[in-house]
Amino acid sequence: MLGKNVVSLHTRLGNEKLNKIERILRSIRLKFLVCEHRDFGPWNIHIENDGSIGVVDWVDARPYGLPLLDLVYFLANTTFHHDGAWETGDFSASYSAFLDPDSYTGKHFHKCISVYASSLGIAPEDIGPLRLLCWLIQATEENVSINKGFFFQLIEVELERYA
């Protein structure tokens, strides 16, 4: 199935953008892998009456996944609910604000990412490429039930940051 997904990426992004993505992703230098949920959104968080929290729906999980991706996915989707992007479909504007450290959501995003990255020894220069990889992986998943155009909007926003 990967061949079909690569063709879809090529059709949506073209050679120039795919080459740019490859250059960006080759820069990532990770020291370790983590258990990755791959659908770590607010809809997969379960809070019990006693306040304990659990994560459900591990069907897409990878025992040797990439760090940071679940946190980016969770925070971005939380932002989309906060900003109303799910209603308007304007994920690009919401995500751009999310990446801006001076915006309300961006301030919180950058704080969370900073704590996570410093705790795990992720270099600051790897954060942007890992965000891009998060959306690239989501755009190529076979079982994604929402419109893949949503992920391509996020990929485009990320690519604009590497002008």
Side-chain angles (χ1 to χ4, degrees), residues 3 5 15 24 32 39 50 62 68 74 89 91 94 105 125 129-130 133 143 157:
N5 292 331
N15 281 339
I24 294 166
F32 55 86
D39 188 22
D50 67 1
R62 301 292 188 273
L68 196 75
F74 179 83
F91 297 100
S94 180
T105 55
E125 61 269 15
L130 285 168
L133 185 55
N143 59 350
V157 170

Side-chain angles (χ1 to χ4, degrees), residues 20 23-24 27 125-132 156-163:
K20 184 177 186 177
R23 285 191 306 276
I24 294 166
S27 72
E125 61 269 15
D126 288 332
I127 293 171
L130 285 168
R131 284 193 322 255
L132 174 61
E156 294 286 351
V157 170
E158 287 291 348
L159 288 175
E160 288 172 9
R161 300 175 69 82
Y162 294 91

Side-chain angles (χ1 to χ4, degrees), residues 102-159:
D102 294 327
S103 73
Y104 174 79
T105 55
K107 177 175 66 173
H108 296 288
F109 166 73
H110 285 278
K111 175 69 173 173
C112 290
I113 293 298
S114 174
V115 169
Y116 181 94
S118 65
S119 296
L120 295 180
I122 297 171
E125 61 269 15
D126 288 332
I127 293 171
L130 285 168
R131 284 193 322 255
L132 174 61
L133 185 55
C134 175
W135 306 124
L136 194 62
I137 289 169
Q138 292 296 325
T140 60
E141 287 291 318
E142 282 297 319
N143 59 350
V144 172
S145 59
I146 62 176
N147 181 352
K148 289 182 186 281
F150 153 82
F151 296 118
F152 284 100
Q153 285 184 45
L154 307 181
I155 291 168
E156 294 286 351
V157 170
E158 287 291 348
L159 288 175

Side-chain angles (χ1 to χ4, degrees), residues 28-99:
I28 298 172
R29 299 291 178 248
L30 297 176
K31 298 175 185 172
F32 55 86
L33 300 175
V34 299
C35 180
E36 183 184 352
H37 186 276
R38 287 236 174 137
D39 188 22
F40 189 61
W43 50 87
N44 282 328
I45 305 294
H46 182 77
I47 303 173
E48 294 288 339
N49 290 334
D50 67 1
S52 60
I53 298 173
V55 179
V56 298
D57 188 9
W58 289 84
V59 70
D60 295 322
R62 301 292 188 273
Y64 304 104
L66 298 166
L68 196 75
L69 276 61
D70 281 340
L71 183 58
V72 167
Y73 188 85
F74 179 83
L75 293 172
N77 279 289
T78 302
T79 296
F80 300 147
H81 284 284
H82 175 270
D83 291 350
W86 287 111
E87 289 77 31
T88 66
D90 192 359
F91 297 100
S92 295
S94 180
Y95 191 65
S96 293
F98 169 76
L99 295 177

